[in-house]
C-alpha cells in the first residue's frame, strides 16, 4: 500500500500543487552531465543504458514489457545525455509498489540520474490526459499533489 509517509523513509519527499511548479523544481534538482567530448558522451550513454535495463528489471516482472500496444507503461529510449530516464504510465494500472524499487536503482553509477514518471488517465487513447508527474532523484522524490490519491489506490 502506498503512503507518502512510507516514501519519506527512503528519501526526502516534496509535493507541489501545479505542473508549472513541478517543472521549476525538477530543473533545480536535476543534475547536469559533462558531455563535452565523445568519450564522456559515450561513457554516459553506457551508464544510461544500464539504468534503462535496471528499470526494466524492476517493472517487467510486475507489469510486463514496455510498449504502446495495451501495456501499462512505456520507457522512452531516446538518449539526450541529460541523465533523465522518462516513463509514461497508465495511472489506473501502474502499481505504486514499483516506486521504491525504482528509486533504489538510483545508487552507485546512477546516483546523478533521475527517473521521470508521467501518469496518464487514458493511456491508450489520444489525446492523453495527464494526471500528474513524479520524479525520482537519489536523495529525493518530487511529485504533484494530484498523484497522492491516485497512488494510494494503485
Amino acid at each position: 500500500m502506498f503512503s507518502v509517509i512510507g516514501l519519506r523513509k527512503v528519501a526526502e519527499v516534496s509535493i507541489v500543487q501545479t505542473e508549472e511548479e513541478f517543472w521549476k523544481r525538477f530543473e533545480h534538482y536535476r543534475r547536469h552531465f559533462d558531455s563535452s567530448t565523445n568519450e564522456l558522451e559515450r561513457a554516459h550513454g553506457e551508464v544510461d543504458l544500464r539504468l534503462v535495463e535496471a528499470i526494466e528489471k524492476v517493472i517487467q516482472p510486475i507489469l510486463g514489457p514496455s510498449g504502446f500496444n495495451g501495456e501499462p507503461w512505456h520507457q522512452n529510449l531516446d538518449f539526450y545525455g541529460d541523465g533523465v530516464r522518462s516513463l509514461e504510465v497508465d495511472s489506473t494500472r501502474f502499481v505504486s509498489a514499483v516506486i521504491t524499487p525504482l528509486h533504489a536503482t538510483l545508487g552507485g553509477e546512477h546516483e546523478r540520474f533521475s527517473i521521470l514518471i508521467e501518469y496518464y488517465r487514458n493511456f491508450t487513447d489520444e489525446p492523453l490526459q495527464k494526471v500528474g508527474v513524479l520524479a525520482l532523484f537519489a536523495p529525493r522524490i518530487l511529485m504533484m499533489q494530484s498523484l497522492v490519491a491516485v497512488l494510494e489506490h494503485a
Side-chain angles (χ1 to χ4, degrees):
M1 178 108 183
F2 173 84
S3 80
V4 173
I5 294 169
L7 285 182
R8 289 194 166 126
K9 293 178 182 177
V10 297
E12 173 189 320
V13 177
S14 297
I15 299 173
V16 298
Q17 296 299 316
T18 67
E19 190 169 352
E20 180 181 349
E21 186 178 357
F22 176 90
W23 291 116
K24 284 180 184 176
R25 291 227 195 151
F26 179 82
E27 284 304 317
H28 176 73
Y29 295 149
R30 185 173 66 85
R31 307 288 288 271
H32 295 275
F33 293 84
D34 179 3
S35 59
S36 58
T37 67
N38 288 340
E39 184 176 312
L40 286 171
E41 185 174 356
R42 182 190 53 73
H44 176 68
E46 290 171 0
V47 174
D48 183 81
L49 184 57
R50 287 192 291 275
L51 182 55
V52 166
E53 293 167 350
I55 290 168
E56 289 175 350
K57 283 181 184 175
V58 168
I59 300 175
Q60 281 186 359
I62 299 166
L63 297 172
S66 167
F68 282 121
N69 296 316
E71 294 84 357
W73 72 290
H74 168 74
Q75 181 169 194
N76 183 338
L77 297 179
D78 291 344
F79 174 70
Y80 299 110
D82 59 3
V84 179
R85 296 296 338 129
S86 179
L87 309 178
E88 295 175 329
V89 304
D90 182 333
S91 65
T92 63
R93 298 189 300 151
F94 190 81
V95 295
S96 58
V98 301
I99 293 173
T100 300
L102 280 177
H103 184 262
T105 65
L106 297 174
E109 68 179 355
H110 301 126
E111 186 175 32
R112 294 173 46 89
F113 284 73
S114 59
I115 300 172
L116 178 68
I117 308 172
E118 296 184 84
Y119 287 78
Y120 294 95
R121 182 170 292 112
N122 60 331
F123 195 60
T124 58
D125 299 325
E126 295 288 334
L128 296 175
Q129 296 173 0
K130 189 180 289 185
V131 175
V133 190
L134 179 143
L136 305 173
F137 303 89
R140 71 180 43 87
I141 297 170
L142 171 65
M143 65 189 295
M144 290 178 57
Q145 176 66 41
S146 60
L147 285 180
V148 174
V150 170
L151 292 172
E152 287 174 348
H153 296 75

